Amino acid sequence: MLPGYVVFIVDVILARTTGGITRPNDRWWKMTTITINQEVHLDFSYTVNFTQSAFAIDNHTLRDVLISPARQNARLLVVVDENVAKSNVSLSKQILAYGEAHDLELLSPFIFSMGGEQVKQSMDIVEAIHLRVAEDNIDRHSYILVIGGGALIDAVGYAAATAHRGIRLVRMPSTVLAQNDAGIGVKNGINYLDRKNFLGTFTPPYAVINDVDLLASLDVRDKRAGIAEAVKVALIKDAEFFTELYTRRFELRDFDAEAMQSMIVRCAQLHLVHIRDSGDPFELGTARPLDYGHWSAHALETISEYQLRHGEAVAIGIAIDTCYCALQGKISEEQKEQVLTLLTDIGFSLCCDALKQLDISAALQSFREHLGGALSITMLDGIGTCEQVETIDLPNLQASVDYLLSLGE
């Protein structure tokens, strides 16, 4: 449990606005080509707040996000994961009471939606939100508040980003994975044509509020799944964090409150620092360091028809790529076994039926198309550091998959 809350501020700077036309002489209009060099400078700033009991009347976190000296009123459309609502039966009343206490204009009725990956499999929630935006005259200075897991946040974010070319979105993630990864970044999307996140946008949220109380009602699988993203970011960014996760792996297995919250905050911080400092927050290049283990994870989710949680698939993907890095001589056998031990001791299964059906060539090709350009896969160059590789040793990659399959025999 955290006393008060912690705030991280992310500033994403893209480019500087300049422009002009060079006129070399009075006959410039006879030139066949005129080039205007135009760069656009955009600043995005949003807060990620860690708090407890966000809808307690005396908790001003949400109010302070919505209300400022320059803006004294806030119109708010609320979207809630129906499973979160069922697990927190008084949630709607708490939100209404909070709105009344702080003079927020809550648009009625709230939207209750299914959660999980199935919400991203159709346009239903996107169309429902677009309809409400039109019916309630919601403008770009109003807010949409989404309370739910990463999949619902992705879908609602896509709806918010495409209505009026962008309505202010406040995310309130309700799962571990969403609080430390999916809910704090700049991506939104839905699945389409059997491809994960085929339709989407890069649109930063207006703010993120991580309420530790929302995690209390999660089932074991959802609590565990989010830890995979912490293992991932530790492996590619922070050897000291990896050591901490390994040392506390049994506390994490048992979901010790302090260990979990420490993991969530540090994981979120590392993700945010990468988004801010990578120089490519909207992934215009072909490299995606934060997607270590994800080329196969996306395929495994699809093969399993999303019976695998995203974090569960990522854990398997991390294991595959870690085994591969050991075969390539980038990490030692001892380090490989340490990573696999960490994942299994936390409670992840590293073998499943979907893994038996994995076509690594097809999965790599699909991932390349999703990235755009040439194939660029993040691999370890030691514990805590990574590199981008453009060529893959397919026999060694298949050997890595086969090794995991052998563990399940």
Side-chain angles (χ1 to χ4, degrees):
M1 303 297 185
L2 291 180
Y5 57 90
V6 182
V7 177
F8 294 117
I9 299 180
V10 178
D11 292 303
V12 181
I13 299 177
L14 300 183
R16 187 178 307 281
T17 301
T18 60
I21 301 176
T22 300
R23 297 177 57 170
N25 54 53
D26 290 340
R27 299 179 62 188
W28 69 273
W29 62 88
K30 294 184 179 180
M31 297 172 61
T32 58
T33 300
I34 296 174
T35 301
I36 300 175
N37 294 319
Q38 176 73 2
E39 297 179 1
V40 178
H41 178 120
L42 298 174
D43 291 341
F44 291 101
S45 179
Y46 61 96
T47 59
V48 178
N49 307 271
F50 291 82
T51 189
Q52 183 178 355
S53 302
F55 294 111
I57 301 302
D58 59 352
N59 187 330
H60 293 173
T61 308
L62 178 59
R63 185 205 64 179
D64 291 346
V65 162
L66 302 176
I67 303 296
S68 68
R71 186 173 182 83
Q72 292 298 311
N73 66 309
R75 301 183 75 231
L76 190 65
L77 174 64
V78 180
V79 183
V80 185
D81 185 321
E82 58 191 18
N83 290 321
V84 174
K86 289 176 183 176
S87 299
N88 300 269
V89 293
S90 62
L91 181 61
S92 293
K93 291 182 179 179
Q94 290 175 351
I95 297 172
L96 289 169
Y98 190 93
E100 182 177 356
H102 295 292
D103 296 322
L104 306 178
E105 183 183 349
L106 301 179
L107 300 175
S108 181
F110 296 171
I111 295 177
F112 294 91
S113 169
M114 71 173 76
E117 198 67 22
Q118 64 267 31
V119 76
K120 296 176 63 173
Q121 295 296 88
S122 75
M123 290 286 289
D124 290 353
I125 186 61
V126 177
E127 292 173 351
I129 291 172
H130 286 172
L131 182 62
R132 286 294 300 275
V133 168
E135 290 179 342
D136 292 339
N137 298 315
I138 297 173
D139 61 30
R140 299 185 71 212
H141 294 280
S142 302
Y143 300 90
I144 296 176
L145 170 66
V146 55
I147 305 171
L152 181 61
I153 286 173
D154 271 1
V156 174
Y158 179 60
T162 50
H164 294 311
R165 297 177 179 164
I167 295 173
R168 295 172 175 180
L169 179 70
V170 178
R171 300 172 179 167
M172 193 171 287
S174 65
T175 66
V176 173
L177 190 147
Q179 290 195 2
N180 69 9
D181 180 4
I184 63 172
V186 299
K187 295 186 283 189
N188 311 279
I190 62 171
N191 305 332
Y192 189 64
L193 298 177
D194 288 328
R195 303 197 179 189
K196 189 173 175 69
N197 298 322
F198 187 78
L199 300 178
T201 68
F202 287 96
T203 307
Y206 187 80
V208 181
I209 299 175
N210 283 337
D211 184 349
V212 68
D213 284 358
L214 290 175
L215 305 180
S217 60
L218 289 176
D219 66 24
V220 168
R221 288 182 67 187
D222 284 324
K223 283 183 180 180
R224 180 183 299 119
I227 304 175
E229 296 289 354
V231 176
K232 172 209 72 179
V233 78
L235 282 170
I236 62 175
K237 292 285 186 182
D238 191 337
E240 183 177 342
F241 184 38
F242 176 79
T243 299
E244 177 185 343
L245 295 176
Y246 186 83
T247 301
R248 307 190 73 175
R249 64 192 186 278
F250 296 116
E251 295 174 71
L252 293 169
R253 177 199 63 189
D254 297 334
F255 309 119
D256 173 80
E258 193 278 327
M260 289 291 290
Q261 196 62 16
S262 175
M263 175 273 296
I264 290 170
V265 172
R266 182 56 181 158
C267 182
Q269 186 180 36
L270 287 169
H271 278 95
L272 292 170
V273 168
H274 175 83
I275 294 168
R276 184 190 66 204
D277 296 341
S278 69
D280 190 19
F282 289 176
E283 298 176 357
L284 299 177
T286 57
R288 289 172 63 172
L290 291 180
D291 275 356
Y292 177 64
H294 281 55
W295 70 267
S296 56
H298 289 175
L300 292 170
E301 287 180 89
T302 302
I303 293 168
S304 73
E305 297 181 343
Y306 299 99
Q307 294 304 302
L308 277 176
R309 305 287 204 275
H310 177 68
E312 293 169 338
V314 168
I316 297 172
I318 290 171
I320 293 172
D321 288 356
T322 298
C323 291
Y324 177 80
C325 291
L327 289 174
Q328 297 297 106
K330 295 297 183 179
I331 61 172
S332 67
E333 281 293 313
E334 182 181 1
Q335 290 172 321
K336 179 196 81 173
E337 290 302 322
Q338 191 177 31
V339 174
L340 300 185
T341 297
L342 170 59
L343 292 169
T344 54
D345 282 352
I346 287 173
F348 288 109
S349 173
L350 303 183
C351 182
C352 64
D353 289 339
L355 187 60
K356 300 174 185 177
Q357 304 173 51
L358 179 65
D359 181 332
I360 59 174
S361 295
L364 287 169
Q365 174 63 13
S366 177
F367 195 68
R368 185 201 66 77
E369 291 176 3
H370 185 62
L371 292 175
L375 179 68
S376 183
I377 300 291
T378 301
M379 291 294 180
L380 299 182
D381 190 26
I383 301 297
T385 61
C386 65
E387 62 179 354
Q388 302 303 313
V389 300
E390 285 72 41
T391 58
I392 295 292
D393 184 332
L394 292 179
N396 272 353
L397 193 57
Q398 185 62 56
S400 301
V401 172
D402 292 342
Y403 178 75
L404 295 183
L405 287 172
S406 72
L407 298 179
E409 293 177 351

